[in-house]
Amino acid sequence: MNYTIAVIPGDGIGPEVMEETKKVLEAVGRKFGHQFAFQTVLAGGAAIDAFGECLPQNTIDVAKSADAVLLGAVGGPKWDALPGEQRPEKALLRLRKELGLYANIRPAKVFSDLADASPLRPEIIGKGLDIVIVRELTGGIYFGKRGHVETEFGEAAYDVEQYSVGEIRRISRTAFEMARKRRGIVSSVDKANVLESSRLWRKTVNEVAEDYPDVTLNHFYVDNASMQLIRDPRQFDVILTSNLFGDILSDEASQITGSIGMLPSASLTDGNFGMYEPVHGSAPDIAGTGKANPLATILSAAMMLRYTLNLPEEADAIENAVDRFLAAGFRTADLSGGAPDALSTKETGDRVAAMI
Ligand code: NAD
């Protein structure tokens, strides 16, 4: 089959990790008889430098017409002084909105060969950890009404958390469907003891759950969830939550794995379309040094094969290659504490591609 992939390398280490990811996808193509046509477009700082705007219309058009979108990372100190609306990171928020990517899927997986990278004790982490966070991505407080008003205490600012039943229903279905393919547990996280929007969230999740009698549903307040994630993370399978709580909890979960260079993510819409990107940013501190770990982006490509292109065997091939790479003792600098024999970005891409 032929697939068109919109590729947005971005800034910093983005282009470096993307190069290796394309290499691995090409190896998958050769093994399974697929052609991946990569259409490279700009967003973020690279687009500001080339076109004066962080998200050119052409990037949106190419992304919309592709089968899927692969993104490296955007941002960097060069553009930090720009006002909020013009910053590279704004490109991400706009892309999510333009493409209708309302479901952010972040697996937090501790590979058994990397269990000692986790800051949690071995008796807590066991032989590994495998959680998926399903975060609502285009609603809630990040997109709600905001403004400034004068009060008796002086100037005040506000941001409104608002969720509709429709928005809660569709993200809930994503979580329940995902749980069905996994261990069958959805943990919905809210603050229903305080927030009206959370009470509607909980009521709606309960209603959706009636369509999934085979899935176990439990509810956590966000403060308890953040504590339980450290105390006993293995109790979780799929965590379903809002934009704000998901932003925070997914960073917490990523730290439990101990290796931000390993974490992929997907942002999905209705149907199969999605944008796939590593959880990490553009890491300007190591850009150009060959130290970037490309595995998060390579594993994001595996998610793309699984969720959008419906190629589970091909996705397995990438994930198994990464497992074998780690089991063979190969490590990038971030995983080896800077050991002198750490593999470079390119050596990692070459080895994983060869292991496909
Ligand atoms: P970061 O994730 O870029 O880096 C945090 C730390 O992790 C750094 O020490 C970095 O060297 C290390 N690191 C990150 N990815 C790595 C990899 N693949 N291999 C090895 N080490 C890795 O976060 P930051 O420093 O807070 O942000 C840097 C820039 O990236 C900022 O401009 C920020 O806005 C942007 N950012 C973009 C995205 C995105 O594009 N989705 C996400 C987060 C941050």
Side-chain angles (χ1 to χ4, degrees):
M1 283 282 287
N2 291 346
Y3 300 97
T4 306
I5 314 295
V7 171
I8 307 178
D11 309 314
I13 62 169
E16 301 167 29
V17 293
M18 191 58 77
E19 225 21 67
E20 304 314 312
T21 303
K22 289 195 296 189
K23 204 182 273 176
V24 172
L25 279 171
E26 271 157 5
V28 169
R30 280 193 297 279
K31 175 158 181 185
F32 291 90
H34 305 302
Q35 291 280 346
F36 296 105
F38 299 116
Q39 294 193 325
T40 303
V41 281
L42 300 184
I48 294 172
D49 288 353
F51 304 113
E53 52 176 329
C54 64
L55 187 64
Q57 187 59 41
N58 179 52
T59 298
I60 301 171
D61 294 343
V62 169
K64 279 186 176 166
S65 66
D67 292 309
V69 184
L70 257 183
L71 180 121
V74 299
K78 183 175 175 192
W79 306 281
D80 273 351
L82 292 173
E85 277 304 301
Q86 294 165 29
R87 284 176 62 100
E89 294 81 357
K90 194 74 193 172
L92 290 182
L93 289 182
R94 281 190 44 212
L95 253 181
R96 290 169 184 163
K97 203 69 179 174
E98 287 278 350
L99 301 176
L101 304 170
Y102 64 82
N104 187 227
I105 316 292
R106 278 199 190 186
K109 185 171 168 184
V110 176
F111 290 80
S112 52
D113 287 296
L114 291 180
D116 54 0
S118 171
L120 297 186
R121 290 199 308 273
E123 60 267 36
I124 295 177
I125 212 76
K127 282 196 184 316
L129 174 73
D130 188 0
I131 300 175
V132 171
I133 296 189
V134 175
R135 164 188 170 197
E136 202 289 328
L137 202 58
T138 54
I141 197 165
Y142 291 2
F143 291 92
K145 244 194 200 160
R146 67 196 55 197
H148 288 243
V149 285
E150 273 308 319
T151 73
E152 58 178 310
F153 299 109
E155 185 187 7
Y158 61 89
D159 301 271
V160 174
E161 169 88 345
Q162 175 175 321
Y163 268 114
S164 65
V165 168
E167 286 172 308
I168 304 166
R169 279 189 164 273
R170 64 182 185 180
I171 191 70
S172 300
R173 276 196 290 269
T174 305
F176 281 99
E177 292 292 337
M178 190 131 305
R180 264 191 178 159
K181 294 183 197 142
R182 296 170 44 91
R183 299 200 308 282
I185 309 168
V186 169
S187 301
S188 175
V189 174
D190 60 37
K191 189 71 184 166
N193 47 346
V194 179
L195 300 178
E196 204 52 41
S197 52
S198 276
R199 283 192 272 275
L200 184 66
W201 179 278
R202 190 174 283 218
K203 176 171 168 274
T204 309
V205 173
N206 279 332
E207 285 164 8
V208 172
E210 288 170 14
D211 296 337
Y212 297 87
D214 49 322
V215 175
T216 303
L217 169 67
N218 46 42
H219 298 277
F220 288 82
Y221 297 134
V222 64
D223 35 357
N224 185 28
S226 66
M227 189 173 79
Q228 295 297 334
L229 261 175
I230 301 289
R231 199 187 67 84
D232 179 18
R234 286 157 64 86
Q235 69 184 291
F236 294 110
D237 178 22
V238 176
I239 293 179
L240 160 65
T241 193
S242 64
N243 205 342
L244 173 65
F245 296 157
D247 193 359
I248 298 165
L249 290 181
S250 57
D251 267 29
E252 184 186 356
S254 76
Q255 280 314 296
I256 294 172
T257 71
S259 45
I260 193 161
M262 296 294 301
L263 295 173
S265 80
S267 302
L268 306 176
T269 177
D270 281 329
N272 289 334
F273 187 76
M275 180 161 89
Y276 297 82
E277 57 182 305
V279 165
H280 63 73
S282 57
D285 54 334
I286 55 165
T289 64
K291 285 189 188 155
N293 180 351
L295 294 176
T297 314
I298 289 170
L299 290 167
S300 301
M303 289 183 83
M304 174 184 84
L305 297 178
R306 189 180 306 285
Y307 293 124
T308 290
L309 305 184
N310 213 3
L311 299 172
E313 256 186 79
E314 289 80 342
D316 284 346
I318 293 186
E319 287 163 1
N320 291 339
V322 171
D323 278 340
R324 287 202 301 280
F325 173 89
L326 296 172
F330 296 124
R331 298 287 184 268
T332 45
D334 55 314
L335 301 177
S336 69
D341 58 346
L343 295 191
S344 70
T345 312
K346 180 174 178 307
E347 286 164 336
T348 303
D350 286 344
R351 286 201 189 264
V352 174
M355 287 174 163
I356 291 293

